[in-house]
Amino acid sequence: YAAKAKRNTAVIFDEASFAQRLEQNRLAAALAVAADRDEFVVYYQQKVNLQTGKHLGFEALVRWRHPQLGILPPGRFLPLMEGHIIQGMTRCIVNIVARDLRTWKAAGLRVGSIAINLPEALLVGDDGYALIAAAVEANHLDWLDFSIEVTEDVFLNRGANQIIETISRFRKHGVSVSLDDFGTGFASLVHLRDFPFDELKIDRSFVAEIGKDIRSEQIIRAIIDLARNLGKRCVAEGIEDESQRDFLLNAGCEIGQGYFYAKPEPAAVAVDRLARRAVLRGISGRSRKLRV
Ligand code: C2E
Ligand code: MG
Ligand code: MG
Ligand code: MG
């Protein structure tokens, strides 16, 4: 949208924005070949049970290992991506996650399900479904090893009915569907009624206001109640401290993600965290003396 808006606006030449535009064009050109060059990387962020702190699964979050600039977050490159490039990137992500899952399962690690953020472009047609189906098949995985996250603005798409159809196909296999960034887009309550999903994710912009803005706190309470009354799970993203966790628990939210628990981390680091925990649990179970 930004690119289109810019084209339609008369811009007075200024050196800073010219340089910036040049930089964006360079990035976009490099992005076009990033998938072929295996430059996309997956970071994993834990989802935990807020009550017990127990690990429930991971969300897969893309990073781009740019040859000169290093690891870039999605905010730097997703806005520059066109349909078919997003498709190539998503194929990389799903393949990396499938390969990691296969390794972890072979090592006997229980990592829970891995959430894939599926963009609208792959939900309108068959592509997103086919991609995950192929990954499950090729790596001898279970459908339940995956879950998917979609943002609420897919409702605004003309293909909303097709998207609902795709999502229903996932759910028939038991795959959990989350409505991501809830509260920031334009989804109406009608969509919430008609859209088949399992989990509502409260956007972190609300969570960040806990303890600061009473209105945000009331909105969070309302979202949690709404989710519960619709029979959905509720997840809070962006939990950074204990007081936010306590508020959310108190308000009835069951699941959370955030730096307070774990940042998005490379596969080896994320899994190490799990393994360390398992070992600690094993030790304290066997020998009570070690417990302080
Ligand atoms: P999202 O799906 O809502 O992911 C949550 C974002 O919040 C992630 O940013 C995560 O790093 C960040 N986050 C989590 N906990 C905290 C916290 O405690 N504090 C703060 N400040 N931030 C936290 P990230 O990784 O930069 O991703 C941004 C967005 O890019 C994602 O939002 C998602 O919409 C999109 N994205 C990421 N990976 C993919 C992907 O593989 N495919 C697609 N299509 N989109 C992706
Ligand atoms: Mg997400
Ligand atoms: Mg989110
Ligand atoms: Mg978000």
Side-chain angles (χ1 to χ4, degrees), residues 12 18 27 51 53 58 70 88 93 100 105 119 121 125 135 137 170 179 185 191 193 224 233 235 237 240 250 266 287:
I12 297 162
F18 180 75
L27 273 185
Q51 191 84 57
F58 286 116
I93 302 307
D100 286 344
K105 289 180 97 176
E137 171 91 5
F170 277 114
L179 200 50
H191 295 128
R193 186 192 65 196
I224 293 169
R233 292 190 305 270
V235 181
E237 58 178 33
E240 292 188 353
N250 212 280
S287 159

Side-chain angles (χ1 to χ4, degrees), residues 180-181 203-204 237:
D180 207 353
D181 298 340
D203 191 68
R204 75 179 151 88
E237 58 178 33

Side-chain angles (χ1 to χ4, degrees), residues 9-28:
T9 319
V11 184
I12 297 162
F13 183 82
D14 94 59
E15 215 163 303
S17 85
F18 180 75
Q20 205 182 348
R21 200 113 60 89
L22 199 66
E23 175 59 25
Q24 299 295 75
N25 288 344
R26 275 212 198 101
L27 273 185

Side-chain angles (χ1 to χ4, degrees), residues 1 16 26 37 46 56 68 131 145 151 200 206 212 229:
Y1 295 123
R26 275 212 198 101
R37 295 184 181 170
Q46 253 188 332
L56 297 175
Q68 280 86 43
L131 199 60
D145 291 331
T151 52
L200 206 58
F206 293 110
K212 296 180 191 145
N229 292 331

